[in-house]
Every structure is written in C-alpha cells, then in structure tokens.
Amino acid sequence: TEMLQQQGVELRQVIVDEAGTTPEPEALCPLTLAREANRIVFVGDYRQLRPVVKSRDAAALGLGRSLFERLSTSGGQPGDGKVGPGLAGLEGRGA
C-alpha cells in the first residue's frame, strides 16, 4: 500500500478473476487498495466451485463462501437471475 501511495498510483479498476472460488478476505484485499475505483468486476461462477477452506472452524465462520456468492445471493434465491441487494445499484455502473 505504501509503495503504491508513494508512487502516486491510483487503482481505478479492480478485476477479481475466479471470484466464485476466492475466499472473502482474499477478495477484499484489492478493494481496500482501490478506494477511488470506478469499476469493480467479479468474474466467475460461485455455483461451480466454492473456496477451498481446510479449517472446519474457518468454514463454520463463513469462509467457505465467497464474497461474490454472498453479494449475488443476498436477499434473492440462488439461480433466480435477480441481483441481490448487496449488488443493487452497481449493475451497469460505469458502462
């Protein structure tokens, strides 16, 4: 973070590939570096594979679910094609 700030680098876009298999803390890391981002893109399908979490305690605390899945399904039914409230207002933004 400091190195980016010292060099005046501003991240305007964040792309998280394989977002369906990325544990939530891992997906949040680049977002904390891009506070001024104009666009955040999650690429993947959380219905294919979930994050690999070997710790039962961590899985019980919800780390077996990706940020992408949580945002996509919050308030809706999985597979209904509706954007959950976690993503409401974001779809089409910046397009």
Side-chain angles (χ1 to χ4, degrees):
T1 305
E2 289 178 28
M3 186 173 73
L4 293 174
Q5 289 173 345
Q6 288 174 355
Q7 294 183 12
V9 174
E10 291 182 32
L11 300 177
R12 298 284 183 187
Q13 297 183 53
V14 176
I15 300 172
V16 181
D17 194 14
E18 298 297 339
T21 62
T22 305
E24 187 165 344
E26 225 173 278
L28 289 172
C29 287
L31 302 183
T32 63
L33 297 173
R35 293 189 178 114
E36 302 296 321
N38 295 325
R39 184 172 296 163
I40 298 169
V41 178
F42 291 104
V43 180
D45 185 352
Y46 63 87
R47 291 168 285 194
Q48 286 185 349
L49 294 173
R50 299 184 95 187
V52 175
V53 177
K54 294 182 180 183
S55 166
R56 288 185 187 142
D57 293 335
L61 291 171
L63 293 179
R65 187 175 188 199
S66 68
L67 174 64
F68 186 36
E69 178 182 0
R70 185 170 63 81
L71 292 174
S72 296
T73 60
S74 60
Q77 296 297 318
D80 67 4
K82 296 179 182 174
V83 175
L87 295 175
L90 297 178
E91 62 181 329
R93 188 175 155 205

